[in-house]
Amino acid sequence: MVSTSLPSLASHSPAYICPYDQACSYLEWAGKELKLDPGLLEILSHPRKVVTVSIPVKMDNGEIRVLPGHRVQHCDILGPYKGGIRYHPAVTLREVSALAMLMTWKCALLGIPYGGAKGGIPIDPKQYSLGELERISRRYISELIKDIGPSVDIPAPDMGTSAREMAWMMDTYSVNVGHSVPGVVTGKPISIGGSLGREMATGRGVMIIVREALANQGKSLAGVRVAIQGFGNVGGAAAELLHQEGAKIIAVSSGAGGVFSETGLNIPALKAYAAENRRSVVGFPQATPISNADLLTLPCDVLIPAALENQITEENVHQIQAQFIAEAANGPVTLEANRVLEAQGVTVLPDILANAGGVVVSYLEWVQGLSYLFWDEGRVNREMEHLMVNAYHRVVKQSQSQGVNLRLAAYTLGVGRVAQALTDRGLYP
């Protein structure tokens, strides 16, 4: 029998679930299943280092503004810290701390030698000029210069950032240390040591996990009805790759709204439309308008939340009609919503597995950069697929042997590996 017990969130308002409290609840849940020593749980529930810096920046009009910037380093028991940097108005220290913790479990689950980190600046990058963004990025990374490095902490792109920002950050770090250091960030442009396959990596990983989950139930991607909330780097790549495999993408959305077609969207045409309309799909002529909220409740085989956290909550979970939910975003399904979905027979493919393709290819980029030996895209994709498929089957095996759902299986594998490493290394002094 599959376990359905989840930690209570009764102390929180149903309108808001704190990401960090939710991450700690998942850790506690896994710790109880693993029967971990309370002291170990206490260590793992706190980030190793929290850095907040001031970022003075001169605007194009000559005005000086001071922005806050965060970098949270959760755990480096298994290797250097690893995690993205996001530019988004909703960035908070607690959100970044939660994402750093999730990255720790994700890396451990996939078997790659990293610990978890995350960073961010609470800005809307669309409100800043190219020059302003460059000055913000360079000053932010210069303030963190003593806390990052190819064997210490390796940033990557996240929401609101891209290869462009990674190039500025890599250059700033390199200028400060006096020589080129391609391994200080991943997700860089190919011209300065980036990896082929990185841009599509997270979306490709989502496609692979969905494909494996369907195959586990004797199904294929051909003709499967898919709805995707979010059409950015992750959602757009997942839509393109699933479409290529024969899936029917019936709905996608961007920040301002979405589009729906019962017969399936023309994904290449939609991507071209979004590229010409500041990444928005609103107004696409070959489809019907739909809201982000309504997209989540469409009848479909696979629902892919690829936007922000806390999208499926107690308020809308009973309206969900998907058979599978693949968490392409971090934490899009709350704890209580997860319990309800499980009771309804919905398969939830957890974020630390489903969206791990990005960090896997970041690891492969780091390996290539350190060795100065670069691979073709086919090899990168094969290496990533091998790691993703193996991780999926480990999670399924753990789920079946322990009688727990896929989320708890994934967390017990990730948390268990970190806890074992911490036990083996011991506590200093």
Side-chain angles (χ1 to χ4, degrees):
M1 180 176 179
V2 174
S3 170
T4 59
S5 59
L6 286 165
S8 172
L9 288 178
S11 60
H12 295 284
S13 164
Y16 175 73
I17 303 296
C18 173
Y20 189 67
D21 289 346
Q22 179 161 283
C24 288
S25 294
Y26 280 134
L27 170 60
E28 180 185 359
W29 188 29
K32 287 181 178 178
E33 183 70 22
L34 293 165
K35 298 180 174 58
L36 292 184
D37 181 87
L40 280 179
L41 282 177
E42 183 71 12
I43 292 171
L44 295 175
S45 67
H46 291 82
R48 178 83 177 272
K49 182 183 285 190
V50 177
V51 181
T52 296
V53 299
S54 294
I55 307 166
V57 57
K58 181 178 284 188
M59 309 300 288
D60 290 344
N61 64 5
E63 176 190 353
I64 300 294
R65 293 185 189 174
V66 180
L67 304 170
H70 307 297
R71 186 69 176 174
V72 175
Q73 297 169 335
H74 175 255
C75 178
D76 64 347
I77 289 294
L78 296 176
Y81 299 108
K82 186 79 184 79
I85 292 173
R86 60 174 50 185
Y87 293 175
H88 191 276
V91 165
T92 66
L93 189 56
R94 291 183 73 81
E95 178 203 38
V96 172
S97 298
L99 295 172
M101 185 186 291
L102 292 180
M103 183 62 80
T104 297
W105 316 139
K106 186 183 301 183
C107 293
L109 173 63
L110 270 292
I112 54 181
Y114 282 147
K118 206 75 170 185
I121 304 173
I123 60 171
D124 180 356
K126 295 178 183 177
Q127 303 302 314
Y128 292 81
S129 71
L130 186 65
E132 289 167 345
L133 286 172
E134 180 173 358
R135 293 192 289 277
I136 290 168
S137 301
R138 288 182 180 276
R139 185 56 185 256
Y140 169 68
I141 215 68
S142 68
E143 294 291 342
L144 295 174
I145 208 80
K146 296 179 181 179
D147 296 296
I148 63 171
S151 59
V152 179
D153 183 353
I154 307 134
D158 200 274
M159 187 179 298
T161 59
S162 66
R164 179 185 66 192
E165 285 76 16
M166 294 306 106
W168 293 332
M169 292 179 185
M170 178 262 190
D171 179 69
T172 303
Y173 183 89
S174 298
V175 169
N176 274 272
V177 301
H179 57 91
S180 181
V181 187
V184 69
V185 299
T186 58
K188 304 179 296 297
I190 301 298
S191 62
I192 56 172
S195 176
L196 295 169
R198 177 61 182 85
E199 185 176 354
M200 301 283 283
T202 307
R204 186 178 298 279
V206 172
M207 181 274 290
I208 289 169
I209 295 302
V210 170
R211 183 196 69 198
E212 293 299 305
L214 288 168
N216 201 42
Q217 296 191 10
K219 302 174 183 178
S220 73
L221 285 171
V224 166
R225 292 163 54 85
V226 181
I228 304 176
Q229 185 200 44
F231 201 61
N233 181 52
V234 177
E240 180 177 346
L241 293 166
L242 287 164
H243 179 76
Q244 290 174 3
E245 294 294 322
K248 184 185 294 185
I249 314 300
I250 61 169
V252 302
S253 65
S254 50
V259 289
F260 166 77
S261 172
E262 181 66 37
T263 59
L265 294 163
N266 183 332
I267 296 301
L270 183 58
K271 291 200 75 172
Y273 177 87
E276 294 176 358
N277 290 272
R278 302 186 67 178
R279 304 180 71 176
S280 174
V281 301
V282 175
F284 182 59
Q286 303 173 34
T288 303
I290 191 172
S291 70
N292 270 290
D294 288 340
L295 180 145
L296 294 172
T297 61
L298 285 173
C300 61
D301 299 306
V302 180
L303 173 62
I304 303 177
L308 293 170
E309 65 272 2
N310 295 336
Q311 297 301 297
I312 300 175
T313 68
E314 291 177 83
E315 295 179 357
N316 64 357
V317 66
H318 293 285
Q319 302 171 46
I320 301 299
Q321 301 184 66
Q323 297 176 357
F324 293 83
I325 296 176
E327 293 186 318
N330 289 307
V333 179
T334 67
L335 286 166
E336 291 302 322
N338 190 101
R339 178 186 61 78
V340 174
L341 290 168
E342 184 184 341
Q344 294 174 346
V346 178
T347 300
V348 180
L349 303 168
D351 49 7
I352 63 170
L353 173 65
N355 68 21
V359 72
V360 170
V361 176
S362 280
Y363 164 63
L364 298 176
E365 177 182 334
W366 181 68
V367 169
Q368 293 171 78
L370 291 178
S371 65
Y372 290 89
L373 179 64
F374 294 89
W375 308 334
D376 61 37
E377 187 168 357
R379 178 174 177 183
V380 172
N381 290 341
R382 288 193 299 273
E383 296 281 354
M384 187 267 276
E385 179 159 351
H386 174 74
L387 288 170
M388 293 291 293
V389 170
N390 281 353
Y392 171 78
H393 288 291
R394 283 198 301 272
V395 170
V396 170
K397 182 178 179 180
Q398 181 84 343
S399 172
Q400 293 172 345
S401 65
Q402 300 298 316
V404 299
N405 61 31
L406 294 180
R407 187 185 301 280
L408 183 53
Y411 270 84
T412 53
L413 287 170
V415 172
R417 183 173 180 227
V418 176
Q420 185 63 54
L422 182 58
T423 301
D424 290 343
R425 286 182 56 167
L427 195 62
Y428 174 81

